[in-house]
Amino acid sequence: MKAIAVEPGAGDPVVVEKPVPEPAAGHALVRTLRVGVDGTDHEVIRGAHGELPDGSDRLVLGHEAVGVVEDPNGTDLEAGDIVAPTVRRPPNGTNEYFERGEPDMAPEGAYLERGIVGAHGFMAEYFTSPAETLVPVPAELAELGFLVEPISITEKALEHAQAARSTVHWEPESAIVLGNGSLGLVTLAMFEEVLELERTYCLGKRDRPDPSIDLIDDLGATYIDSRETPVSEIPEAYESMDLVYEATGYAKHPFETVEALAPNGVGALVGVPDDWSFEIDGGRLHRELVLHNKALVGTVNSHRGHFEAAVDTLSSIPEWVTDDLVTGVYGLEEFERAFERNDSVIKTAVEFDTR
Ligand code: NDP
Ligand code: ZN
């Protein structure tokens, strides 16, 4: 079978030939339909994030997959079921995080991530995976099932943000997404179409005309350009925010978020920055957090429950939104196009099988 693999930091992804994997006991064989590409894949390709599997000099990419069960191999799944795989696996045997069903809370060293950290990904014609990691997706969502993983990231982030307010009355009305990349935009769609927040905003640093800003407009949100209005000045220029979702990976944003939040507000941080030293007024931020009951939560990855919630969410995002969000789906013969980045690209996927 064909797979898309990369030597991290040493060039572009290439098509390689690999044997069709044999499912172990408790694992199913899945025929891949589509695999999404995101910022993390680009970090893996340039060697900035992730690890090769032991004994391999290339990593099969892909952590945002949807496929169809080819061989249930004695598990509860049925041939023909559409499934989206979770990403984390235990490094050897299992550990307490996986046993509790909370692999997303495992610290470094206690997990592998398929397509990212020490385990081959799903960008191949077939993959195998333990049955409990394969989350059912309704057949009518098969083509968009590669969005379940990114949506699950936000399901977790919002769950943790809400948990930080779960002891009090908290009904966010104003919310901003920092970042107009694919994760930011899918999150904005969730704010507007699923959570039905009253007033939503999205931060970018681009000029109009731009397809991501068009989508922000069409969703009924307000576009804020960080070159004109830095995050810390948003309360003055617009309003303070009950909820901030940071998806830029721009390291000043978490600190500016503290200033952008309304009293009792929560900032959920998902961006992954490189090292960067800069000056901040720590006293002021500390005081803001304490005297206005503000919270910041960092969150990474997601577990099966978040995938299940993401399937529901995906089914309530209108088709016009996913049509605008997914700017390209490419077959193996032109898979390189799925890795092109420019301002006209929002979300892409590689297609292995059209069913
Ligand atoms: P992208 O790189 O596609 O999106 C980031 C967006 O933020 C870009 O559109 C960029 O604008 C914008 N941006 C960056 N800096 C600024 C700034 N100073 N002001 C305004 N806008 C800015 O990444 P993704 O959408 O795929 O992911 C978002 C972040 O989340 C990344 O850091 C990624 O690593 C991380 N991530 C974290 C996960 C987790 O589990 N915690 C899971 C998946 C992703 P432009 O395009 O114009 O440069
Ligand atoms: Zn991803």
Side-chain angles (χ1 to χ4, degrees):
M1 67 168 187
K2 293 190 165 40
I4 297 173
V6 74
E7 242 179 281
D12 292 330
V14 292
V15 172
V16 298
E17 197 62 44
K18 295 188 86 131
V20 175
E22 286 278 335
H27 295 221
L29 178 69
V30 180
R31 192 170 84 248
T32 310
L33 295 172
R34 290 178 171 184
V35 184
V37 174
D38 79 347
T40 306
D41 298 301
H42 289 281
E43 286 164 22
V44 169
I45 292 167
R46 70 181 166 91
H49 183 57
E51 249 172 64
L52 283 168
D54 280 346
S56 301
D57 51 11
R58 276 200 181 120
L59 175 75
V60 176
L61 286 166
H63 61 277
E64 304 180 349
V66 60
V68 51
V69 174
E70 175 86 4
D71 175 7
N73 193 34
T75 65
D76 289 344
L77 293 160
E78 283 182 30
D81 284 354
I82 308 292
V83 289
T86 63
V87 177
R88 286 197 172 173
R89 301 291 177 270
N92 25 46
T94 184
N95 62 47
E96 54 176 312
Y97 300 97
F98 286 83
E99 280 162 14
R100 279 199 294 267
E102 296 170 354
D104 55 312
M105 300 307 283
E108 252 170 59
Y111 64 81
L112 305 175
E113 283 178 344
R114 295 206 52 177
I116 308 171
V117 182
H120 289 303
F122 306 118
M123 266 192 199
E125 288 177 282
Y126 295 89
F127 64 86
T128 61
S129 199
E132 69 274 13
T133 66
L134 296 170
V135 179
V137 173
E140 63 274 17
L141 291 179
E143 292 193 340
L144 292 172
F146 64 92
L147 295 174
V148 169
E149 194 275 347
I151 293 172
S152 77
I153 299 297
T154 299
E155 298 287 355
K156 176 182 174 184
L158 295 180
E159 181 185 86
H160 282 243
Q162 272 153 358
R165 300 288 86 140
S166 61
T167 53
V168 293
H169 174 83
W170 187 66
E171 269 179 37
E173 288 181 359
S174 55
I176 185 165
V177 174
L178 310 182
N180 52 336
S182 58
L183 188 57
L185 291 171
V186 82
T187 301
L188 187 68
M190 291 166 69
F191 280 9
E192 276 290 338
E193 303 291 332
V194 186
L195 301 179
E196 297 183 344
L197 289 163
E198 299 260 318
R199 297 177 307 281
T200 62
Y201 300 80
C202 187
L203 185 89
K205 55 175 171 61
R206 294 193 193 166
D207 295 330
R208 296 174 188 271
D210 180 274
S212 71
I213 305 174
D214 291 344
L215 181 53
I216 295 166
D217 290 343
D218 293 345
L219 281 166
T222 302
Y223 174 62
I224 301 180
D225 186 334
S226 71
R227 297 168 301 179
E228 284 159 20
T229 312
V231 173
S232 52
E233 289 172 20
I234 289 174
E236 207 178 314
Y238 297 89
E239 63 176 316
S240 56
M241 301 290 158
D242 296 322
L243 175 65
V244 176
Y245 181 96
E246 178 278 318
T248 54
Y250 182 76
K252 287 188 177 172
H253 281 162
F255 304 97
E256 297 180 351
T257 291
V258 177
E259 307 199 52
L261 284 172
N264 309 337
V266 186
L269 313 176
V270 305
V272 183
D274 293 332
D275 287 353
W276 182 16
S277 305
F278 49 82
E279 279 189 22
I280 51 164
D281 184 341
R284 207 168 95 151
L285 296 177
H286 185 174
R287 194 171 61 241
E288 257 318 294
L289 284 164
V290 171
L291 294 184
H292 292 115
N293 292 298
K294 295 180 178 180
L296 290 181
V297 259
T299 125
V300 68
N301 193 247
S302 55
H303 61 50
R304 187 179 169 110
H306 304 125
F307 270 66
E308 288 166 353
V311 170
D312 278 353
T313 295
L314 181 59
S315 69
S316 35
I317 295 180
E319 204 176 305
W320 71 263
V321 177
T322 48
D323 282 351
D324 284 2
L325 195 69
V326 180
T327 49
V329 177
Y330 304 102
L332 260 181
E333 66 292 347
E334 51 170 3
F335 78 91
E336 293 92 344
R337 296 186 64 191
F339 292 94
E340 281 169 13
R341 302 186 101 182
N342 59 59
D343 286 359
S344 65
V345 174
I346 300 179
K347 183 76 186 176
T348 59
V350 178
E351 181 162 74
F352 285 86
D353 188 336
T354 49
R355 288 204 296 158

